[in-house]
Amino acid sequence: MVEHTLEPLSPFTDAQVLEQADAIQVEIPRGEPRVLLAGVAEALVAREPAEALREKLTAAADAIQAPGDEDVRLALAYRLALPYLARDASIKEALAEVEPLLEGMDEDERLERGPVLARAAAPALAVDLELLKDEGYRFVATFPPAGSEGIDVVGKASIWLTKRMTVDGDDARLAMRRFLAVLAEEIEIEMPLTAATIDRLLEDAMPPHPPNDALFLALARGLVEEAVAERGFPW
């Protein structure tokens, strides 16, 4: 199938750059700096274009007087915006529907079904999610209908999408895990079972092969299912 040209992950989600940002401790003053960091989170949720997101990250980095080169400054602003993203109403509302379901499960079942929680991390990847949805949908659309009865075509598209998102490395998977750790910390009081399930899933080492990463596969499947829900099944 013909692919779009997928832009590389943003420099501020580069794992090595984020490691440098992790070593920087800054105080976030009340007022404009926090407002600007919240604005970054809003841009991520709204899936704003890369240029708009970069402008908001730059403004936030300036407000907190972030040190370092440009990539590190933006990575620091990105890292500091993640708790605001975790508090976003749309994310918390979606998770609030899951908490009662987890109450009716034992621990093994929670861990089996829990990877679906990774879908909440999609905005934190800071990539063109609409483009990825389109590519996942077109994979489904080009799958031969003949003989496809009983085949999980969406699942096959999801597997392909995990490879597509990691063609240049595992930064997207690491960004997902970073956000999920922040999310679990933010929601542990309101949604203890959801937080505990995320924590437990993150304890396992990240599988070397992206399609074997249950969390990342669930995130990819969420994007494909979202595209199918919006456009309808293609055949």
Side-chain angles (χ1 to χ4, degrees), residues 154-195:
V154 169
K156 287 185 174 295
S158 306
I159 290 171
W160 175 82
L161 199 57
T162 65
K163 299 175 183 178
R164 179 78 172 107
M165 289 192 284
T166 54
V167 67
D168 291 320
D170 284 325
D171 288 346
R173 292 207 283 161
L174 294 169
M176 174 194 71
R177 279 172 162 70
R178 173 183 289 270
F179 176 70
L180 288 175
V182 171
L183 179 62
E185 186 171 347
E186 288 291 332
I187 65 171
E188 66 175 338
I189 302 301
E190 301 169 74
M191 293 169 261
L193 286 177
T194 303

Side-chain angles (χ1 to χ4, degrees), residues 2 15 27 81 93 109 111 129-130 133 139 144 147 149 157 168 179 185 197 226 231:
V2 178
E27 186 79 22
E93 286 170 7
E109 190 174 7
L111 294 179
L129 296 177
E130 294 305 313
K133 284 167 52 180
F139 184 101
E149 296 83 0
D168 291 320
F179 176 70
E185 186 171 347
T197 301
E226 187 178 323
R231 305 186 192 185

